Structure formats: C-alpha cells, structure tokens
Short mmCIF file of all heavy atoms in Angstrom, two decimals:
data_model
loop_
_atom_site.label_atom_id
_atom_site.label_comp_id
_atom_site.label_asym_id
_atom_site.label_seq_id
_atom_site.Cartn_x
_atom_site.Cartn_y
_atom_site.Cartn_z
N VAL K 364 0.77 -1.28 0.02
CA VAL K 364 0.00 0.05 -0.07
C VAL K 364 0.86 1.23 0.10
O VAL K 364 0.70 2.22 -0.81
CB VAL K 364 -0.99 0.02 1.24
CG1 VAL K 364 -1.63 1.27 1.27
CG2 VAL K 364 -1.95 -1.04 1.09
N LEU K 365 1.89 1.26 0.85
CA LEU K 365 2.78 2.44 0.89
C LEU K 365 3.54 2.50 -0.47
O LEU K 365 3.72 3.77 -0.91
CB LEU K 365 3.92 2.27 2.04
CG LEU K 365 3.22 2.28 3.44
CD1 LEU K 365 4.36 2.01 4.40
CD2 LEU K 365 2.66 3.75 3.68
N GLU K 366 3.96 1.53 -1.10
CA GLU K 366 4.64 1.62 -2.35
C GLU K 366 3.72 2.26 -3.40
O GLU K 366 4.12 3.04 -4.22
CB GLU K 366 5.22 0.28 -2.80
CG GLU K 366 6.43 -0.18 -2.09
CD GLU K 366 6.84 -1.57 -2.51
OE1 GLU K 366 6.12 -2.22 -3.05
OE2 GLU K 366 8.05 -1.90 -2.05
N LYS K 367 2.48 1.73 -3.42
CA LYS K 367 1.54 2.31 -4.32
C LYS K 367 1.28 3.82 -4.13
O LYS K 367 1.15 4.61 -5.01
CB LYS K 367 0.13 1.44 -4.36
CG LYS K 367 0.35 0.10 -5.03
CD LYS K 367 -0.96 -0.68 -4.82
CE LYS K 367 -0.84 -2.17 -5.32
NZ LYS K 367 -1.97 -2.90 -5.04
N ASP K 368 1.07 4.13 -2.81
CA ASP K 368 0.92 5.49 -2.58
C ASP K 368 2.10 6.40 -2.99
O ASP K 368 1.96 7.51 -3.54
CB ASP K 368 0.66 5.62 -1.03
CG ASP K 368 0.20 7.07 -0.62
OD1 ASP K 368 -0.75 7.52 -1.27
OD2 ASP K 368 0.76 7.65 0.22
N ARG K 369 3.30 5.84 -2.75
CA ARG K 369 4.44 6.63 -3.05
C ARG K 369 4.59 6.79 -4.65
O ARG K 369 4.70 7.93 -5.10
CB ARG K 369 5.71 5.89 -2.65
CG ARG K 369 7.16 6.67 -2.94
CD ARG K 369 8.11 5.67 -2.88
NE ARG K 369 8.17 4.58 -3.79
CZ ARG K 369 8.43 4.51 -4.95
NH1 ARG K 369 8.85 5.68 -5.57
NH2 ARG K 369 8.45 3.44 -5.73
N GLN K 370 4.18 5.68 -5.33
CA GLN K 370 4.12 5.79 -6.80
C GLN K 370 3.09 6.78 -7.25
O GLN K 370 3.32 7.60 -8.25
CB GLN K 370 4.04 4.42 -7.45
CG GLN K 370 4.24 4.42 -9.01
CD GLN K 370 5.46 4.91 -9.29
OE1 GLN K 370 6.53 4.37 -8.85
NE2 GLN K 370 5.55 5.88 -10.35
N ARG K 371 2.05 6.88 -6.65
CA ARG K 371 0.93 7.71 -7.16
C ARG K 371 1.41 9.21 -6.84
O ARG K 371 1.28 10.12 -7.76
CB ARG K 371 -0.41 7.58 -6.28
CG ARG K 371 -1.50 8.39 -6.60
CD ARG K 371 -2.62 8.19 -5.75
NE ARG K 371 -2.42 8.34 -4.20
CZ ARG K 371 -2.18 9.57 -3.61
NH1 ARG K 371 -2.36 10.58 -4.30
NH2 ARG K 371 -1.94 9.49 -2.32
N LYS K 372 2.07 9.40 -5.66
CA LYS K 372 2.56 10.82 -5.37
C LYS K 372 3.59 11.30 -6.37
O LYS K 372 3.59 12.37 -6.79
CB LYS K 372 3.08 10.94 -3.86
CG LYS K 372 1.91 10.86 -2.97
CD LYS K 372 2.48 10.88 -1.60
CE LYS K 372 1.26 10.77 -0.52
NZ LYS K 372 1.79 10.77 0.79
N VAL K 373 4.48 10.32 -6.74
CA VAL K 373 5.56 10.63 -7.74
C VAL K 373 4.91 10.92 -9.06
O VAL K 373 5.29 11.96 -9.67
CB VAL K 373 6.58 9.44 -7.81
CG1 VAL K 373 7.40 9.52 -9.05
CG2 VAL K 373 7.44 9.23 -6.59
N ASP K 374 3.95 10.12 -9.57
CA ASP K 374 3.23 10.46 -10.68
C ASP K 374 2.50 11.69 -10.75
O ASP K 374 2.58 12.36 -11.76
CB ASP K 374 2.24 9.23 -11.04
CG ASP K 374 2.89 7.88 -11.36
OD1 ASP K 374 4.06 7.84 -11.73
OD2 ASP K 374 2.12 6.87 -11.34
N GLU K 375 1.99 12.15 -9.53
CA GLU K 375 1.36 13.40 -9.51
C GLU K 375 2.46 14.59 -9.73
O GLU K 375 2.15 15.51 -10.26
CB GLU K 375 0.61 13.53 -8.14
CG GLU K 375 -0.67 12.68 -8.19
CD GLU K 375 -1.40 12.72 -6.78
OE1 GLU K 375 -0.71 13.39 -5.76
OE2 GLU K 375 -2.34 12.20 -6.55
N GLN K 376 3.49 14.40 -9.06
CA GLN K 376 4.53 15.37 -9.16
C GLN K 376 5.06 15.43 -10.53
O GLN K 376 5.18 16.55 -11.16
CB GLN K 376 5.70 15.15 -8.14
CG GLN K 376 5.28 15.30 -6.67
CD GLN K 376 4.94 16.71 -6.42
OE1 GLN K 376 5.58 17.75 -6.84
NE2 GLN K 376 3.95 16.98 -5.82
N ILE K 377 5.23 14.30 -11.20
CA ILE K 377 5.79 14.33 -12.59
C ILE K 377 4.74 15.05 -13.47
O ILE K 377 5.10 15.80 -14.34
CB ILE K 377 6.03 12.84 -12.98
CG1 ILE K 377 7.24 12.31 -12.30
CG2 ILE K 377 6.29 12.85 -14.62
CD1 ILE K 377 7.61 10.87 -12.58
N GLU K 378 3.42 14.67 -13.28
CA GLU K 378 2.43 15.25 -14.14
C GLU K 378 2.41 16.81 -13.90
O GLU K 378 2.22 17.62 -14.91
CB GLU K 378 1.10 14.75 -13.72
CG GLU K 378 -0.17 15.02 -14.62
CD GLU K 378 0.07 14.51 -16.10
OE1 GLU K 378 0.67 13.42 -16.17
OE2 GLU K 378 -0.45 15.11 -16.91
N LEU K 379 2.60 17.29 -12.68
CA LEU K 379 2.53 18.62 -12.33
C LEU K 379 3.75 19.38 -12.98
O LEU K 379 3.66 20.43 -13.67
CB LEU K 379 2.62 18.97 -10.78
CG LEU K 379 2.68 20.37 -10.33
CD1 LEU K 379 1.36 21.12 -10.81
CD2 LEU K 379 2.93 20.39 -8.87
N ILE K 380 4.84 18.79 -12.99
CA ILE K 380 5.95 19.33 -13.51
C ILE K 380 5.85 19.38 -15.22
O ILE K 380 6.17 20.45 -15.88
CB ILE K 380 7.37 18.50 -13.26
CG1 ILE K 380 7.72 18.71 -11.82
CG2 ILE K 380 8.50 18.88 -14.27
CD1 ILE K 380 8.76 17.62 -11.42
N LEU K 381 5.32 18.32 -15.72
CA LEU K 381 5.02 18.27 -17.13
C LEU K 381 4.12 19.37 -17.62
O LEU K 381 4.19 19.96 -18.71
CB LEU K 381 4.50 16.83 -17.61
CG LEU K 381 5.51 15.79 -17.57
CD1 LEU K 381 4.96 14.44 -17.79
CD2 LEU K 381 6.78 16.07 -18.49
N LYS K 382 3.09 19.80 -16.78
CA LYS K 382 2.06 20.80 -17.03
C LYS K 382 2.59 22.19 -16.80
O LYS K 382 1.95 23.06 -17.33
CB LYS K 382 0.84 20.45 -16.31
CG LYS K 382 0.17 19.26 -16.78
CD LYS K 382 -1.12 19.12 -16.00
CE LYS K 382 -1.96 17.79 -16.41
NZ LYS K 382 -3.18 17.59 -15.68
N THR K 383 3.62 22.43 -16.04
CA THR K 383 3.96 23.76 -15.69
C THR K 383 5.45 24.12 -15.98
O THR K 383 5.63 25.35 -15.97
CB THR K 383 3.89 23.94 -14.08
OG1 THR K 383 4.69 22.92 -13.39
CG2 THR K 383 2.34 23.66 -13.62
N ASP K 384 6.34 23.23 -16.17
CA ASP K 384 7.67 23.57 -16.48
C ASP K 384 7.80 24.30 -17.90
O ASP K 384 7.49 23.63 -18.94
CB ASP K 384 8.55 22.40 -16.45
CG ASP K 384 10.06 22.90 -16.63
OD1 ASP K 384 10.42 22.98 -17.81
OD2 ASP K 384 10.73 22.78 -15.63
N PRO K 385 8.21 25.54 -17.94
CA PRO K 385 8.31 26.22 -19.24
C PRO K 385 9.08 25.52 -20.33
O PRO K 385 8.64 25.47 -21.51
CB PRO K 385 8.89 27.59 -18.94
CG PRO K 385 8.63 27.72 -17.35
CD PRO K 385 8.71 26.37 -16.96
N GLU K 386 10.24 24.97 -19.93
CA GLU K 386 11.06 24.26 -20.97
C GLU K 386 10.41 22.96 -21.48
O GLU K 386 10.41 22.90 -22.70
CB GLU K 386 12.44 23.88 -20.38
CG GLU K 386 13.28 25.06 -19.97
CD GLU K 386 14.62 24.59 -19.44
OE1 GLU K 386 14.86 23.43 -19.40
OE2 GLU K 386 15.35 25.52 -18.97
N ILE K 387 9.71 22.23 -20.64
CA ILE K 387 9.05 21.11 -21.01
C ILE K 387 7.79 21.52 -21.93
O ILE K 387 7.56 20.86 -23.00
CB ILE K 387 8.55 20.27 -19.89
CG1 ILE K 387 9.63 19.61 -19.24
CG2 ILE K 387 7.55 19.21 -20.34
CD1 ILE K 387 9.39 18.91 -17.82
N LEU K 388 7.15 22.59 -21.49
CA LEU K 388 6.01 23.05 -22.29
C LEU K 388 6.54 23.42 -23.81
O LEU K 388 5.85 23.14 -24.77
CB LEU K 388 5.38 24.17 -21.64
CG LEU K 388 4.54 23.88 -20.50
CD1 LEU K 388 4.05 25.15 -19.68
CD2 LEU K 388 3.39 22.90 -20.69
N GLU K 389 7.55 24.10 -23.73
CA GLU K 389 8.19 24.58 -25.03
C GLU K 389 8.59 23.30 -25.92
O GLU K 389 8.31 23.32 -27.16
CB GLU K 389 9.40 25.50 -24.85
CG GLU K 389 10.13 25.85 -26.17
CD GLU K 389 9.28 26.76 -26.94
OE1 GLU K 389 8.27 27.42 -26.60
OE2 GLU K 389 9.53 26.67 -28.25
N ILE K 390 9.19 22.41 -25.31
CA ILE K 390 9.64 21.07 -26.04
C ILE K 390 8.29 20.51 -26.50
O ILE K 390 8.29 19.91 -27.71
CB ILE K 390 10.40 20.20 -25.01
CG1 ILE K 390 11.76 20.78 -24.90
CG2 ILE K 390 10.53 18.83 -25.65
CD1 ILE K 390 12.57 20.08 -23.81
N ASN K 391 7.28 20.34 -25.71
CA ASN K 391 6.08 19.72 -26.10
C ASN K 391 5.50 20.43 -27.25
O ASN K 391 4.89 19.88 -28.25
CB ASN K 391 5.03 19.62 -25.00
CG ASN K 391 5.36 18.51 -24.05
OD1 ASN K 391 6.16 17.50 -24.32
ND2 ASN K 391 4.93 18.62 -22.76
N SER K 392 5.42 21.76 -27.16
CA SER K 392 5.00 22.55 -28.53
C SER K 392 5.76 22.30 -29.68
O SER K 392 5.28 22.06 -30.75
CB SER K 392 4.97 23.96 -28.12
OG SER K 392 4.60 24.88 -29.14
N GLN K 393 7.02 22.17 -29.56
CA GLN K 393 7.92 21.77 -30.68
C GLN K 393 7.61 20.40 -31.21
O GLN K 393 7.63 20.20 -32.43
CB GLN K 393 9.41 21.96 -30.36
CG GLN K 393 9.87 23.31 -30.01
CD GLN K 393 11.20 23.45 -29.62
OE1 GLN K 393 11.87 22.46 -29.26
NE2 GLN K 393 11.76 24.71 -29.43
N ILE K 394 7.43 19.51 -30.21
CA ILE K 394 7.06 18.14 -30.79
C ILE K 394 5.74 18.12 -31.52
O ILE K 394 5.58 17.52 -32.60
CB ILE K 394 6.89 17.18 -29.44
CG1 ILE K 394 8.37 16.93 -29.02
CG2 ILE K 394 6.25 15.91 -29.95
CD1 ILE K 394 8.28 16.21 -27.67
N ASP K 395 4.78 18.96 -30.90
CA ASP K 395 3.36 19.02 -31.65
C ASP K 395 3.69 19.69 -33.14
O ASP K 395 3.00 19.11 -33.92
CB ASP K 395 2.51 19.93 -30.85
CG ASP K 395 1.98 19.22 -29.68
OD1 ASP K 395 2.13 17.95 -29.58
OD2 ASP K 395 1.46 19.90 -28.77
N ASP K 396 4.29 20.74 -33.19
CA ASP K 396 4.65 21.37 -34.50
C ASP K 396 5.33 20.27 -35.51
O ASP K 396 4.99 20.18 -36.68
CB ASP K 396 5.61 22.53 -34.31
CG ASP K 396 4.97 23.71 -33.57
OD1 ASP K 396 3.63 23.66 -33.58
OD2 ASP K 396 5.62 24.72 -33.14
N LEU K 397 6.35 19.54 -34.94
CA LEU K 397 7.06 18.54 -35.78
C LEU K 397 5.89 17.48 -36.19
O LEU K 397 6.12 17.04 -37.44
CB LEU K 397 8.13 17.84 -35.04
CG LEU K 397 9.35 18.78 -34.94
CD1 LEU K 397 10.40 18.10 -34.02
CD2 LEU K 397 9.99 19.10 -36.23
N LYS K 398 5.09 17.10 -35.44
CA LYS K 398 4.03 16.02 -35.77
C LYS K 398 3.21 16.58 -36.85
O LYS K 398 2.82 15.91 -37.83
CB LYS K 398 3.19 15.78 -34.50
CG LYS K 398 3.92 14.81 -33.52
CD LYS K 398 3.07 14.38 -32.38
CE LYS K 398 3.68 13.60 -31.34
NZ LYS K 398 2.86 13.28 -30.16
N LYS K 399 2.83 17.91 -36.67
CA LYS K 399 1.98 18.52 -37.84
C LYS K 399 2.75 18.52 -39.15
O LYS K 399 2.17 18.26 -40.20
CB LYS K 399 1.52 19.94 -37.48
CG LYS K 399 0.50 19.90 -36.21
CD LYS K 399 0.23 21.45 -35.90
CE LYS K 399 -0.64 21.38 -34.56
NZ LYS K 399 -0.68 22.75 -34.04
N MET K 400 4.14 18.79 -39.11
CA MET K 400 4.88 18.93 -40.28
C MET K 400 5.01 17.56 -40.92
O MET K 400 4.85 17.46 -42.15
CB MET K 400 6.23 19.51 -39.91
CG MET K 400 6.23 20.93 -39.55
SD MET K 400 7.88 21.47 -38.91
CE MET K 400 8.83 21.47 -40.28
N VAL K 401 5.21 16.40 -40.06
CA VAL K 401 5.32 15.13 -40.57
C VAL K 401 3.96 14.78 -41.28
O VAL K 401 3.94 14.31 -42.32
CB VAL K 401 5.70 14.13 -39.55
CG1 VAL K 401 5.50 12.74 -40.06
CG2 VAL K 401 7.06 14.40 -38.98
N LYS K 402 2.86 15.08 -40.59
CA LYS K 402 1.61 14.71 -41.21
C LYS K 402 1.40 15.50 -42.57
O LYS K 402 0.94 14.86 -43.57
CB LYS K 402 0.39 15.12 -40.13
CG LYS K 402 -0.90 14.78 -40.66
CD LYS K 402 -1.96 15.06 -39.70
CE LYS K 402 -3.23 14.76 -40.16
NZ LYS K 402 -4.40 14.86 -39.27
#
C-alpha cells in the first residue's frame, strides 16, 4: 500500500512538472509542431 501511494505521489509530481515547466511546455509545443509537419 505504501509503495502504491508513493508511486501515485511521484506520478502526480511528474504530471505537475510536465504541465507547468516552461522548458517542457516549449519542447512539447515543438514536438506538436513537428508532428504536424510530418503529417
């Protein structure tokens, strides 16, 4: 139970970072642009 709870908390923190970190947001935007270009 503790391991699952720890993993859930880690996942929440990772998700928060992915949604708020400017560098990651910029990289995600670039990835989206590249996907559009490929399409």
Side-chain angles (χ1 to χ4, degrees):
V364 168
L365 289 172
E366 286 175 346
K367 288 176 184 175
D368 188 50
R369 181 195 59 80
Q370 186 60 50
R371 181 186 54 77
K372 288 178 181 176
V373 167
D374 291 345
E375 287 174 355
Q376 289 298 314
I377 290 172
E378 190 67 29
L379 180 64
I380 290 169
L381 289 174
K382 288 181 178 178
T383 58
D384 185 283
E386 290 179 13
I387 292 176
L388 290 172
E389 176 64 27
I390 291 170
N391 284 338
S392 174
Q393 291 174 353
I394 289 171
D395 289 343
D396 291 345
L397 287 171
K398 285 178 180 178
K399 289 175 187 173
M400 291 171 65
V401 166
K402 184 176 179 180

